[in-house]
Amino acid sequence: MVIGAILLATGCSPRSADQTVVRFWAMGREGEVVTELIPEFERTHPGIRISVQQLPWSAAHEKLLTAFAGDSTPDVCQLGNTWIPEFVALHALEPLDGRLAGSPTIDPHDYFPGIWDTNVVEGKLYGVPWYVDTRLLFYRRDLLAQAGFAAPPRSWNDWQQMLAAIKARAGADRYSILLPLNEFEPLLVLALQQDEPLLRDEGRFGNFESPGFKRTLRFYVEMFQRGWAPPLTNADVSNVWSEFARGYFSFYITGPWNIGEFKRRLPPERQDSWMTAPLPGPDGAGPSIAGGSSFVVFGASRVKTAAWQWIEYLSRPDVQSRFHALTGDLPPRRATWIEGRIADDVYARAFRDQLERVKPAPKVPEWERIANELRLVAERTVHGQMSIDEAAAELDARADRILEKRRWILSRRGGP
């Protein structure tokens, strides 16, 4: 059992012996905040009690695998959507298509398509999105205007012109964009903008030698070669927010959590100088990554109907609005974006736009290991240790080694 898991007592009313207890595991801040939503659910569902166990993100994956091995999984769990293929491969999760078909609450057409798709593995639904995450541009609109541009970029060509113009004004000790070399996400979102998949043959082999990925890697590396991006990691930047405020860089690819951080950490005189924008693509508005967390029901649960009622409640647009107000997490349903706090947030509007154009990372259990190799090889390429062609071939070789067991399993079961 992982040290640090905290059992949170929920509610204070007397419990009868015939109540159904739904064990819900949730991670990080969400695990703390969700307890505030339980009293209303239990009041409207008097036969069900929710027992929440909070897990730190750093220990959650190991805890879940240990629970599966020991036949002690929860009934419902918050699961990062890139983890879903792994737990599907373990046959740990309950398919939800039958539950969805009879649900008056959850309408898949109201969800952003790319986010919903992260929960579908081999044609079956295994999760319902709880909150969403994606990456886009945070930028200094004042510095962009000083460089002669009235609007953020819409294509890679636009972006290159802006990066060059900003660097020309900034001088040798400042840059146009920050692309931390210890993060794989900026390169990944650019790679997802290509038509070719990152893995081929239903995830059996790497596809990094495709023209699309090599085009992406060339574009990414060029930003360092031209001096538009410093070849640094996050650890080399003392404080991202203060460096952004002083104009050390003008563009930053990051996620929705930084809306609140920028509002809190930038000085008052800089609060009107920044904005968010959807990512530019090779030839126009580009996709980004479909991230976030979903609800799953474990197959070993003995209270699946009650577990599904809890998921339905948390998926209601009005409850999602309350959850957003408590956490700042972005809701996955379009209906939740129509009014209220999130509709009035000018920095969130670009995320609403971007969420219509998000794509899942490859849905294989090995993806996180492959993504780490993507980061390592990209860093070597930025430092001039590999050419674009060499890097693409090396990534395919590393991905193919990681996927060897997958190929063996699929061949044994006659899978696609």
Side-chain angles (χ1 to χ4, degrees):
M1 186 172 186
V2 177
I3 297 174
I6 304 171
L7 185 64
L8 300 178
T10 58
C12 55
S13 59
R15 306 297 185 186
S16 62
D18 60 350
Q19 282 187 314
T20 297
V21 177
V22 174
R23 293 166 300 132
F24 177 46
W25 288 7
M27 289 70 164
R29 171 69 174 155
E30 288 75 23
E32 300 171 8
V33 169
V34 74
T35 60
E36 299 186 37
L37 304 176
I38 291 175
E40 180 187 353
F41 174 81
E42 293 185 344
R43 178 178 57 80
T44 56
H45 299 75
I48 303 174
R49 179 168 68 89
I50 305 299
S51 175
V52 179
Q53 186 167 352
Q54 180 198 344
L55 307 177
W57 272 110
S58 59
H61 188 263
E62 179 185 352
K63 170 71 173 176
L64 285 165
L65 290 177
T66 301
F68 174 72
D71 197 24
S72 58
T73 51
D75 301 300
V76 183
C77 185
Q78 169 193 357
L79 207 63
N81 56 22
T82 58
W83 294 359
I84 290 177
E86 177 182 5
F87 285 88
V88 170
L90 292 172
H91 304 289
L93 304 183
E94 179 77 3
L96 300 176
D97 301 273
R99 301 279 179 185
L100 177 68
S103 177
T105 303
I106 300 175
D107 177 8
H109 300 292
D110 190 36
Y111 287 76
F112 298 109
I115 297 295
W116 186 266
D117 187 40
T118 64
N119 296 270
V120 178
V121 180
E122 297 181 358
K124 294 183 180 180
L125 180 72
Y126 289 95
V128 174
W130 187 13
Y131 63 86
V132 298
D133 178 21
T134 192
R135 305 295 174 104
L136 47 63
L137 291 179
F138 284 56
Y139 70 99
R140 284 284 300 273
R141 58 182 180 179
D142 57 336
L143 298 181
L144 198 61
Q146 290 170 22
F149 300 95
R154 293 286 295 173
S155 68
W156 283 8
N157 184 60
D158 292 345
W159 203 7
Q160 287 175 315
Q161 293 181 39
M162 294 178 189
L163 293 169
I166 291 170
K167 178 61 178 176
R169 289 181 55 86
D173 61 342
R174 297 190 181 193
Y175 298 87
S176 308
I177 185 170
L178 180 65
L179 298 168
L181 291 173
N182 60 325
E183 295 182 358
F184 66 83
E185 288 88 355
L187 177 56
L188 174 59
V189 297
L190 298 176
L192 289 173
Q193 296 178 346
Q194 307 299 328
D195 293 332
E196 301 100 326
L198 293 172
L199 304 179
R200 61 182 175 85
D201 296 346
E202 300 295 334
R204 285 178 167 86
F205 299 94
N207 196 38
F208 296 101
E209 291 179 273
S210 66
F213 180 77
K214 289 199 283 188
R215 178 188 184 188
T216 295
L217 186 58
R218 188 172 295 108
F219 175 72
Y220 175 82
V221 171
E222 182 183 31
M223 288 192 268
F224 295 93
Q225 291 175 337
R226 296 192 174 218
W228 299 339
L232 304 174
T233 68
N234 277 332
D236 299 317
V237 180
S238 59
N239 183 302
V240 169
W241 305 280
S242 63
E243 296 298 333
F244 184 77
R246 78 177 185 91
Y248 181 65
F249 57 92
S250 298
F251 286 103
Y252 186 35
I253 299 175
T254 188
W257 63 89
N258 259 323
I259 292 177
E261 294 297 329
F262 275 53
K263 288 179 179 179
R264 286 188 293 270
R265 294 174 180 266
L266 294 188
E269 64 271 19
R270 285 283 174 257
Q271 286 299 328
D272 292 330
S273 68
W274 67 282
M275 187 48 66
T276 57
L279 279 172
D283 304 301
S288 188
I289 190 169
S293 284
S294 298
F295 303 112
V296 299
V297 176
F298 276 89
S301 172
R302 298 180 180 179
V303 294
K304 293 184 178 71
T305 297
W308 180 252
Q309 289 178 281
W310 173 233
I311 292 173
E312 285 187 309
Y313 170 77
L314 292 176
S315 299
R316 283 170 25 190
D318 62 314
V319 177
Q320 287 190 354
S321 293
R322 288 178 58 197
F323 187 69
H324 167 72
L326 292 168
T327 64
D329 292 340
L330 301 183
R333 298 188 66 161
R334 296 184 181 96
T336 315
W337 289 76
I338 293 174
E339 59 185 5
R341 174 177 168 179
I342 194 167
D344 296 333
D345 190 335
V346 295
Y347 302 107
R349 290 172 189 169
F351 282 94
R352 171 64 180 82
D353 184 359
Q354 186 69 71
L355 285 167
E356 295 288 357
R357 297 183 307 281
V358 291
K359 296 169 65 174
K363 290 184 275 187
V364 299
E366 301 85 356
W367 173 248
E368 290 191 356
R369 293 170 58 198
I370 295 172
N372 187 55
E373 299 300 328
L374 175 67
R375 178 186 65 80
L376 295 172
V377 172
E379 183 172 7
R380 290 184 60 190
T381 311
V382 165
H383 287 299
Q385 298 171 9
M386 307 178 80
S387 69
I388 299 298
D389 288 343
E390 289 170 340
E394 179 66 17
L395 276 170
D396 271 343
R398 295 188 185 195
D400 291 353
R401 285 195 295 271
I402 291 171
L403 294 166
E404 183 175 6
K405 183 177 180 181
R406 174 177 173 79
R407 292 194 296 275
W408 182 83
I409 292 173
L410 291 178
S411 68
R412 294 274 294 181
R413 77 178 194 189

